[in-house]
Amino acid sequence: MAGEQVTGRQVLVVVAVLVGVGVFWVLFVVGYLFFSSAQVERSEARASASASAAGVQVGAPCPADVEHLDEILAIGQANSLPEGAEVVSVEPAVNFAEAYPGGWGYVIEFTASDQAIRDYITNRIGYNGDYIDAYPTTDPNADGAEDVDLSGVTAPWEAGFGNAHLFLERPLGRGWLVIRGGGR
């Protein structure tokens, strides 16, 4: 056997086997890296979704809950609610956060008397609250409305100011203050 001569065909078979093994390893490594990356992205998405469900938003100054209401209202341009308002809920602005990389926000649902809301609009926003009924109905796709379901709200009205948007139901009594922040 020591005297046997190697043919071109044998060399070609060895080269083909080595190339096949190399291609297999490259595909294996690329597939492994792709699968690992997809697993990490799914884990991050699950963590983000569960954090949002718990009221915790990435980059937000505090959790979205009633216990942190004073901290939330202190964000930005000294946000406030109408005099005597009762807070129904505080939720994270998840739709805004999904659409705006690095964004976070809060949706504060409240109820207040007709006159308290009119005074708030006059004093805080600068519109004459006595004429609020003359304003047209807000578009459900208005900026800031992505986290407020206006489909069941009669004659919604909206005003944006500072880092907030105010949505009101007419006749007056129920409203939503949406405070947003974050950056790209």
Side-chain angles (χ1 to χ4, degrees):
M1 293 220 167
E4 286 186 28
Q5 198 173 31
V6 177
T7 65
R9 183 178 182 139
Q10 291 172 325
V11 170
L12 188 59
V13 168
V14 169
V15 169
V17 167
L18 291 175
V19 167
V21 169
V23 167
F24 170 79
W25 278 109
V26 167
L27 291 175
F28 175 79
V29 169
V30 168
Y32 175 77
L33 292 175
F34 177 76
F35 178 74
S36 296
S37 172
Q39 288 288 79
V40 168
E41 287 177 14
R42 281 193 295 272
S43 294
E44 289 174 353
R46 275 193 300 269
S48 176
S50 64
S52 289
V56 178
Q57 303 171 83
V58 175
C62 57
D65 57 36
V66 176
E67 290 80 32
H68 291 88
L69 181 62
D70 290 338
E71 293 173 66
I72 293 168
L73 291 173
I75 296 169
Q77 292 75 23
N79 296 304
S80 63
L81 293 172
E83 186 72 31
E86 301 223 7
V87 175
V88 174
S89 67
V90 177
E91 302 289 332
V94 294
N95 294 327
F96 172 71
E98 286 177 6
Y100 190 80
W104 47 264
Y106 305 93
V107 179
I108 304 166
E109 182 178 356
F110 64 91
T111 59
S113 71
D114 180 287
Q115 191 57 52
I117 292 173
R118 289 179 192 281
D119 292 345
Y120 178 80
I121 292 168
T122 300
N123 298 328
R124 175 67 177 100
I125 301 175
Y127 297 141
N128 188 333
D130 291 334
Y131 301 118
I132 189 168
D133 299 313
Y135 289 98
T137 300
T138 275
D139 178 1
N141 297 315
D143 186 32
E146 55 273 314
D147 287 292
V148 178
D149 181 10
L150 296 175
S151 64
V153 176
T154 57
W157 180 84
E158 183 266 338
F161 55 97
N163 66 328
H165 288 269
L166 176 68
F167 295 91
L168 298 172
E169 180 173 42
R170 295 177 285 186
L172 298 177
R174 184 167 66 147
W176 297 262
L177 181 65
V178 180
I179 300 171
R180 305 185 309 183
R184 291 178 186 240

